Amino acid sequence: MTQTKVEAPFVEGGGGTNFKNLIINGNFEVAQRSTSAVAAGNGTFTTVDRWKTFTGNLGGAYTTQQKTNSLADQATTGQENYLEIKCTTTDSSVHAQAYSMVRQHVEASSYLQSKLRYGTSDAQKLTLSFWFKSNLTGTHSMSWYYNGSTDGNTTYYYPFNFTVSSADTWEKKVITIPAPPTSYGSINAGNATGGLLNINLQIGADYQDPAGSWTGNVAYASEDVPNFFTSTNNNILITAIQLEVGDDASDFENIPHDVQLERCKRYFQMYPRVEKGSSYDYTAVGVGYGDSTSEGIVLVHLNPTMRAKPTGTNSGSFRIHHKNTAHAVSGFTFNTSLTSSDGLAIVCAIGSTDITQGHGLLLEQNNDGDARLFADAEL
């Protein structure tokens, strides 16, 4: 009898290891919230999944947006999509405690610690690779840091630099991040933040340390970090971000879109999943029962199970369909005691007493194709 070895179909590029990339959505193909340019905020997710904007003491402003490469640039980078970071308001003076960056929080887990083995004599190096394009030539700065030590509360930073040689040209960058000193300790366990990767835009002097060295100081960037906000012509384009164990950069791990989407939905989900602007504006999102004559309790099943109990929010108009009659929802309350990591519980009030207590009902859009429910368990 002949036996044939079949490799996992989604393993593409180097190493033969599934999910070698510690970064999720490093090619920016999933953008559940928006594919349009959105103004960045402090600690907010606005466009592409898993990438947060983080800002303080900043006089300038910027947008982030998922964009599509030309066929020629796809051939260069190997990716259809990229993230565009664009300056929209200048800030010529840099506050000493200014910080502005696009970052990803990497979840602390037994997987992350077992890969990196921080705090041991066998701690591993990391290699970061990505494609980068900007009108700003010269030095740029990024950083990696993690939560660790014996008290579980101390953060340790590794700022590093790279150089853009040619303006408005895709260039591949590779940086090796050495293992931290053993005394810094291991990565926190659990489902909170374990490590962070920062794409720096503006960092004040109080948050700078020399590039290429681990430090216990809050050092988002090196002293060579440029000020991204000198002109509204400034932009950064980036894609194929891969952070992997070892001191060699392998080919970017392209995984199927459905797998990437499932990984992102561990942190954020929205319902209904139909495209905004759909011609059908009454899509159902959940079922429930009459809790009283004026309100119903609806459960939205979350799939996959989320990282933690999510926070629920909503936008747009919804209605309850009950006994063949539609009632506009006049108020949403997200019931945290009934909500879990795999189910979002919502108390829906109507402006009348027409619900029969204990009877079933359906929650759906109310002639509003843009109406959405959101479940957020982001780091």
Side-chain angles (χ1 to χ4, degrees), residues 10-198:
F10 53 86
V11 178
E12 297 183 20
T17 303
N18 298 337
F19 307 125
K20 64 185 176 183
N21 192 357
L22 299 179
I23 298 298
I24 297 175
N25 202 29
N27 57 354
F28 305 101
E29 66 174 345
V30 178
Q32 295 185 79
R33 295 169 177 86
S34 177
T35 57
S36 301
V38 180
N42 182 29
T44 60
F45 294 84
T46 52
T47 53
V48 290
D49 280 59
R50 302 296 302 119
W51 293 94
K52 177 189 286 189
T53 56
F54 190 55
T55 303
N57 298 308
L58 175 68
Y62 65 103
T63 59
T64 62
Q65 182 179 6
Q66 179 203 60
K67 301 196 79 172
T68 303
N69 264 322
S70 67
L71 290 177
D73 286 345
Q74 288 182 40
T76 298
T77 65
Q79 302 302 324
E80 179 180 3
N81 300 304
Y82 61 89
L83 178 68
E84 179 191 65
I85 306 168
K86 183 173 177 57
C87 175
T88 55
T89 303
T90 60
D91 180 14
S92 57
S93 61
V94 181
H95 190 284
Q97 294 186 335
Y99 53 88
S100 181
M101 62 195 74
V102 179
R103 58 170 25 176
Q104 181 163 144
H105 291 237
V106 180
E107 185 176 344
S109 63
S110 57
Y111 170 82
L112 186 61
Q113 173 60 18
S114 66
K115 284 284 188 181
L116 298 183
R117 300 195 281 277
Y118 283 0
T120 74
S121 59
D122 193 32
Q124 301 294 296
K125 296 178 181 178
L126 282 168
T127 294
L128 176 71
S129 56
F130 54 91
W131 284 91
F132 197 88
K133 182 178 180 180
S134 178
N135 67 302
L136 295 169
T137 58
T139 301
H140 288 251
S141 179
M142 294 173 65
S143 61
W144 163 255
Y145 66 96
Y146 79 100
N147 295 328
S149 86
T150 54
D151 63 16
N153 296 313
T154 305
T155 51
Y156 300 103
Y157 296 76
Y158 186 84
F160 54 88
N161 296 339
F162 62 95
T163 302
V164 172
S165 301
S166 301
D168 303 314
T169 303
W170 282 112
E171 298 176 350
K172 187 172 183 179
K173 306 301 176 184
V174 177
I175 296 99
T176 298
I177 301 171
T182 303
S183 60
Y184 283 5
S186 63
I187 296 173
N188 285 345
N191 63 349
T193 297
L196 298 97
L197 181 68
N198 294 318

Side-chain angles (χ1 to χ4, degrees), residues 33 45 50 52 105 107 191-193 263-270 302 304-313 339-342 344 374-379:
R33 295 169 177 86
F45 294 84
R50 302 296 302 119
K52 177 189 286 189
H105 291 237
E107 185 176 344
N191 63 349
T193 297
R263 300 184 79 195
C264 292
K265 287 170 68 176
R266 174 170 166 78
Y267 304 92
F268 178 79
Q269 298 181 30
M270 71 175 188
L302 301 172
T305 298
M306 302 191 76
R307 179 190 66 86
K309 180 188 292 190
T311 299
T313 55
T339 290
S340 69
S341 57
D342 56 10
L344 188 66
F374 307 103
D376 189 329
E378 294 280 10
L379 291 164

